[in-house]
Amino acid sequence: MVWLIVIFAGLLEIVWAVGLRYTDGFTRLWPSVGTLLVMGVSFFLLSLAMRTLPTGTVYAVWVGIPRIISILLIVLGIIGLKLSS
């Protein structure tokens, strides 16, 4: 269960990182509110996971999720190119 919390927190980290772009320096109200809300939930879930798992492990997984997703997208793209030719 704790690992699911870490993974979900990492996915929310991607959402708020992308959301920062739409806030336009926190000058747009609703994108800013949404980004701050998702950011708060992500940090809250991160803190819940740190009650059980070591901080270094939780943080590495939380931050590493965007990299893993990027690598998966590259691999899927290569597979798609191989299948289409």
Side-chain angles (χ1 to χ4, degrees), residues 25-69:
F26 291 103
T27 59
R28 298 177 61 205
L29 178 63
W30 294 115
S32 298
V33 169
T35 299
L36 289 172
L37 180 66
V38 172
M39 189 182 295
V41 172
S42 179
F43 282 121
F44 174 72
L45 292 175
L46 184 71
S47 70
L48 285 180
M50 280 195 230
R51 292 180 183 174
T52 306
L53 299 172
T55 301
T57 304
V58 173
Y59 184 73
V61 171
W62 184 67
V63 172
I65 286 177
R67 291 183 180 184
I68 293 169
I69 290 173

Side-chain angles (χ1 to χ4, degrees), residues 12-27:
L12 289 178
E13 191 252 344
I14 296 169
V15 172
W16 70 256
V18 171
L20 284 174
R21 179 178 185 185
Y22 296 102
T23 64
D24 198 25
F26 291 103
T27 59

